[in-house]
C-alpha cells in the first residue's frame, strides 16, 4: 500500500472528509476500501506477495496478495474458494 487516508475536519466548513496521501491513482480504491470496512492496517492483514508497478507502456499495474487461510476477502466480503492462496488484482486501462 503506497497510499494512506485519514479523516480530517475541513477548517472552513467543519465537515469531515477523507484526505489521501500518496499515490493519487490508488486513493479512490483506498477510500472505497475504508468506507466498506477495511482497516488502516490492511497491508499487514493482507501482505502483498508480488507487485508489478504501473507502467505507462502497459497502462496497468498488478498486485498479488496472500489470502491463504481465509474463507472470505473481509468480514461479510467476497467468499474465496477453499484452498485459495493468492488473489491477483490488475488495475488500469484494458485497451
Amino acid at each position: 500500500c503506497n497510499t494512506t487516508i485519514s479523516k480530517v475536519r475541513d477548517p472552513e466548513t467543519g465537515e469531515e472528509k477523507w484526505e489521501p496521501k500518496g499515490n493519487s491513482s490508488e486513493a479512490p480504491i483506498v477510500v472505497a476500501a475504508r468506507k466498506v470496512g477495511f482497516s488502516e492496517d490492511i497491508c499487514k492483514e493482507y501482505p502483498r506477495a508480488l507487485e508489478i508497478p504501473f507502467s505507462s507502456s502497459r497502462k496497468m499495474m498488478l498486485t498479488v496478495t496472500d489470502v491463504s487461510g481465509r474463507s472470505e476477502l473481509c468480514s461479510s466480503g467476497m467468499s474465496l474458494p477453499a484452498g485459495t492462496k493468492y488473489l491477483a488484482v490488475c488495475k488500469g486501462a484494458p485497451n
Side-chain angles (χ1 to χ4, degrees):
C1 298
N2 300 324
T3 304
T4 61
I5 60 166
S6 56
K7 276 191 174 180
V8 296
R9 192 163 301 279
D10 186 309
E12 295 178 15
T13 65
E15 293 179 356
E16 273 193 339
K17 64 179 185 175
W18 294 96
E19 184 175 278
K21 291 187 175 143
N23 185 324
S24 61
S25 70
E26 279 189 359
I29 297 167
V30 174
V31 170
R34 289 288 300 277
K35 285 183 175 182
V36 299
F38 281 98
S39 74
E40 191 171 337
D41 295 328
I42 192 73
C43 292
K44 293 175 187 167
E45 296 171 29
Y46 296 87
R48 284 192 181 164
L50 173 72
E51 179 178 323
I52 300 174
F54 179 83
S55 160
S56 57
S57 63
R58 286 190 329 270
K59 296 181 183 158
M60 68 177 91
M61 76 170 290
L62 174 81
T63 61
V64 178
T65 304
D66 183 346
V67 295
S68 45
R70 298 181 182 273
S71 60
E72 57 188 8
L73 192 53
C74 65
S75 179
S76 301
M78 179 181 85
S79 60
L80 298 169
T84 300
K85 294 181 182 180
Y86 298 102
L87 175 69
V89 177
C90 182
K91 70 175 182 177
N95 52 353

